[in-house]
Amino acid sequence: QGDPKHRVSCLNMLAQAFLAIDWVDEAIGTFRDALKAHKMPDDDLGMELRYGLLRSLEAKGEQENDLTAAEEAYQLASSIAIQNISFRDIRERRDSIKQLLTRLRKAG
């Protein structure tokens, strides 16, 4: 992480590892740090970072019934879909987050 040349890639891998072991808050914070250090959210790596952040926020919304996290995940999913509708599973992920939002709003 200390090497500026590799910092963003290291943070991305670290955040993905946190998400894989279900350390959602750590994943969110690390993805945010990576995005802040990267400064180019629309290139390929920026898309990967935003996608990882939205997955982490979606997980937080699901696990903790966190409406704010789910709303942010939906905004990220929408922005990625607008930029590249064929990026990974963004259509399906956006739809599942929209369902999560509906469920959380009804419960709240």
Side-chain angles (χ1 to χ4, degrees), residues 5-58:
K5 185 176 180 181
H6 301 289
R7 178 169 170 68
V8 175
S9 294
C10 287
L11 288 171
N12 183 30
M13 288 186 276
L14 183 60
Q16 289 182 36
F18 284 146
L19 184 58
I21 62 172
D22 225 15
W23 289 18
V24 176
D25 289 331
E26 289 81 357
I28 291 169
T30 306
F31 277 121
R32 288 189 197 285
D33 289 346
L35 277 164
K36 195 179 300 181
H38 186 56
K39 297 187 187 337
M40 292 182 286
D42 296 334
D43 70 356
D44 290 343
L45 181 54
M47 291 275 283
E48 289 292 330
L49 295 170
R50 289 189 296 148
Y51 183 80
L53 179 57
L54 88 81
R55 286 183 49 229
S56 302
L57 290 163
E58 179 184 16

Side-chain angles (χ1 to χ4, degrees), residues 47 50 54 70-85 90-91 93-95 97-98 101:
M47 291 275 283
R50 289 189 296 148
L54 88 81
E71 287 172 338
E72 185 178 354
Y74 185 76
Q75 290 172 349
L76 284 165
S78 292
S79 72
I80 291 170
I82 289 167
Q83 183 179 343
N84 182 355
I85 193 71
I90 198 63
R91 290 183 212 175
R93 187 141 323 256
R94 183 189 163 278
D95 291 343
I97 296 169
K98 190 171 186 173
L101 282 171

